Amino acid sequence: MAPSLQSNKRKAVTHGVSDAESAASGDEFQTGLLEGILSQSDSESEDEEDWEDDSGLGEETEDDTDGDEILDEGGDEEEADGGLKLVNGKKRPSPIAGMEANQGTEDTGISEEDDKPNYTVTSDANGNPRYIYREIDPVYDSDDTDAQETTNTIGNIPFSFYDSYPHIGYDINGRKVMRPAKGEALDALLDSIEVPKGWTGLTDPNTGKPLELSRDELEILKRIQMDELPEDGYDPYPATVEYFTSKTETMPLSAAPEPKRRFIPSRHEAKRVMKIVRAIREGRILPYKPPSTEDEESATKYYDIWANEKPRPDHIMNIPAPKLPPPTHDQSYNPPPEYLPTKPERKSWEEVDEEDREKEFLPTSYDALRKVPGYDRFVKERFERCLDLYLAPRVRRNKLNIDPESLLPKLPSPEELRPFPTTCATLYRGHEGRVRSLAIDPTGTWLASGGDDGTVRVWELLSGRQIWSVKIGDGEAVNVVGWRPGKDAIILSAAAGESTFLIAPPIVDPETETTSRSLLDAGWGYAANPTSTTSLSTRKEPPANWTRPGTRLEDEGVLVKATVRSTIKVISWHRRGDYFVTVSPTGQNSAVAIHTLSKHLTQLPFRHLRGLAQTALFHPSRPILFVATQRTIRSYDLVRQTLIKTLTPGARWISSLDLHPAGDNLLVGSYDRRLLWHDLDLSTRPYKTLRYHTKAIRSVRFHQGGLPLFASASDDGSVQVFHGKVVADLMENATIVPLKMLRGHAVRRELGVLDVEWHPREAWCVSAGKISPVI
């Protein structure tokens, strides 16, 4: 075995060195070859400088030095120190040892890369040899790759031991870890630069350097100082996980089954068992035996219901025996020649299966009836016929004598449901032509009407006297009129053509009239200062133009005129009196418009409206708008601007609708003579469908004053008054009872009653047509 490198080095230094070699080695030592062997450690830099100073006294000193004297002095040192020489009082490693070690490796056949040591030989502060190994480069799978590198290796020695030294310890290679800068110079440096991220102003006890913490660590320290949780999502009181169930289960000490000796028989059950045993012995209880096939056949009986048939007169309870149809030409014993089959027809008939043949026989011609043979399938056909008769179902239907009136629900008597209108009390005459719309003010004192003559008239409700009138339509009829809700001001709205007129009629006291005019004039200031900053060239056309109607109309009380893009048919006010909605069926996307009275502003809430809008109204207590098209009714939330529900009444063309004062029931009238009651809490389909009119229904109204009444006006010239009671109990349905049919309007050109309205407090209704009776 080849000796190790260390052993070779020592052998080379201590044995087999001649005087000449020693002299040669001394010459090399003196000429400065030792510089390549010295370690480049920073810790020995001071010693090297001292040695250079000693060796650099002059060339004369080196030349005058005797080589033999050096060898004598270093021979013993080599043996003692293992390849180190003493130069000027200090020990240095010998180059000869390294040369001989290299020669030893060449002899053993080891390559230079394998033979190259992984350390460097130096001397420590006392002159003893010191081996400094190269740092190990850990591979990827090393366990120490993520470990924190330790810079100071003094262990648990207090730093106070190094207070008198410029360093504070040593690293893994033995280098001094110098003390960081402190004092006024460090303060000046810190003041001149920005504070780095993670600066804490503390000192790391392991390194003596400033302690730097990350943002997360600083946040954790801050939370701990403020007595908060160190991490987000940390639950200091987690739910208790029960490793054992909390239910107390009582377990027996022994799982063995109960012995039979502990069984105590019941005397009551013993008596019942003995009673059954006696019945079996006496034959009163027989065991079940499955029926045999012979018994089933004997139990089946067949009857010939026409065996003893006697002639009887025709009666619904008499079923005579069926008769065979009379024979035809092809069934004759001597049929005409055209009914006789040819040979190909006979052959094809015989080849076809019996079930697929059109006829069960072929016509045959005989000279005389006596030559006709007997029918070979007579017995089989009679048998099949008897089977058909036997299997044919026969049900005796008994006629039920039921009174149709007993099937109707029991309704209360109309006499018990008073008050409701019964007779005509007042006639209002003055309009030329039909009266298309009417409305009663919130106080119940005034009646407003509009007709084909283009005038708006105000009547005294009780006396029927006309108080005030104005002509707003130039050749156009007044389609609708309506009062603003609220008793603080009296404002009347009327629509003629494409324009809506807001009127403060001079029929009240001056204070109320002044308040009404101020409400109508308040919007002009808002309209004069628009908030929009868009230029006139890019501004879109407004949905409605708010203008003054003119001097003549203003003197008569007509103060505001709002013009839209198409003819207005419906006006409906919001309960607060600041908004009203108009409906123009021919306006398409601009058919429904919401107007603000206090700002003189018009908005189009629908960009695309499905179907032709017919009417619209606000919910009495919630921000909901109901819009009716020809076949559907949609409710929209004005706050969220979303669709709430779509009602499908099933009518072909909706004409009008009205809401119950509570807001949970809807009344719909249609041109196909249907009056539909919708319960908004139940379904999208109507709860009741009433058909009491013979022609189209023009208007429907609920009584808004607390009386359970509603009415419908139709083109048949009648007004139907109903009792409609709605309770707060969701388990009880609404009660609908027809009360009275009121007649008094003449039907002209297929038009009868065009509008109906209830008094806000009394059980009075007003209808509009050719003449306007108050009932």
Side-chain angles (χ1 to χ4, degrees), residues 93-140:
S94 176
I96 299 176
M99 295 172 58
E100 292 181 358
N102 293 338
Q103 292 179 1
T105 57
E106 292 179 357
D107 297 340
T108 56
I110 302 175
S111 62
E112 295 180 0
E113 296 180 358
D114 297 340
D115 185 46
K116 189 176 181 180
N118 61 347
Y119 60 87
T120 302
V121 181
T122 61
S123 60
D124 55 8
N126 298 326
N128 297 326
R130 182 177 181 180
Y131 297 91
I132 301 176
Y133 292 87
R134 292 193 301 270
E135 296 182 359
I136 299 175
D137 186 12
V139 295
Y140 179 77

Side-chain angles (χ1 to χ4, degrees), residues 88-240:
N88 295 332
K90 297 182 180 181
K91 295 181 180 180
R92 301 294 179 190
S94 176
I96 299 176
M99 295 172 58
E100 292 181 358
N102 293 338
Q103 292 179 1
T105 57
E106 292 179 357
D107 297 340
T108 56
I110 302 175
S111 62
E112 295 180 0
E113 296 180 358
D114 297 340
D115 185 46
K116 189 176 181 180
N118 61 347
Y119 60 87
T120 302
V121 181
T122 61
S123 60
D124 55 8
N126 298 326
N128 297 326
R130 182 177 181 180
Y131 297 91
I132 301 176
Y133 292 87
R134 292 193 301 270
E135 296 182 359
I136 299 175
D137 186 12
V139 295
Y140 179 77
D141 56 352
S142 175
D143 293 339
D144 297 336
T145 55
D146 295 335
Q148 185 177 3
E149 183 179 359
T150 305
T151 57
N152 200 342
T153 59
I154 62 173
N156 295 329
I157 297 176
F159 277 91
S160 59
F161 291 1
Y162 290 89
D163 291 344
S164 61
Y165 296 95
H167 59 280
I168 58 175
Y170 301 91
D171 60 1
I172 190 66
N173 294 324
R175 299 187 184 96
K176 295 179 180 179
V177 179
M178 303 306 296
R179 188 184 305 277
K182 294 182 180 179
E184 298 180 357
L186 180 60
D187 295 339
L189 179 62
L190 293 177
D191 294 339
S192 62
I193 62 175
E194 296 181 356
V195 178
K197 294 183 178 179
W199 185 81
T200 59
L202 303 177
T203 303
D204 189 357
N206 295 330
T207 61
K209 297 181 180 180
L211 179 62
E212 295 183 359
L213 299 179
S214 63
R215 186 179 297 274
D216 296 338
E217 294 173 345
L218 292 174
E219 185 66 22
I220 292 174
L221 291 176
K222 181 179 178 181
R223 289 173 177 270
I224 293 175
Q225 290 178 354
M226 298 179 67
D227 296 335
E228 295 181 358
L229 297 178
E231 296 181 359
D232 292 338
Y234 176 76
D235 187 7
Y237 306 106
T240 304

Side-chain angles (χ1 to χ4, degrees), residues 452-561:
D452 291 342
D453 55 359
T455 62
V456 177
R457 301 174 187 268
V458 178
W459 314 77
E460 191 176 10
L461 187 61
L462 295 178
S463 63
R465 182 170 56 93
Q466 178 177 328
I467 303 300
W468 176 84
S469 67
V470 63
K471 186 176 180 60
I472 60 174
D474 297 335
E476 295 179 344
V478 178
N479 294 318
V480 59
V481 294
W483 293 92
R484 173 187 174 273
K487 300 179 182 180
D488 56 341
I490 298 298
I491 297 176
L492 177 63
S493 61
E498 299 176 356
S499 301
T500 302
F501 297 89
L502 299 178
I503 309 168
I507 58 176
V508 292
D509 56 279
E511 295 180 0
T512 307
E513 184 178 357
T514 303
T515 305
S516 304
R517 287 178 174 270
S518 62
L519 286 176
L520 295 177
D521 293 338
W524 297 119
Y526 183 87
N529 300 319
T531 57
S532 176
T533 59
T534 58
S535 61
L536 294 176
S537 59
T538 59
R539 187 178 299 173
K540 296 182 180 180
E541 181 183 359
N545 295 324
W546 291 73
T547 59
R548 297 186 184 275
T551 306
R552 181 185 65 84
L553 294 178
E554 289 182 7
D555 294 340
E556 296 181 0
V558 183
L559 302 179
V560 181
K561 176 182 178 181

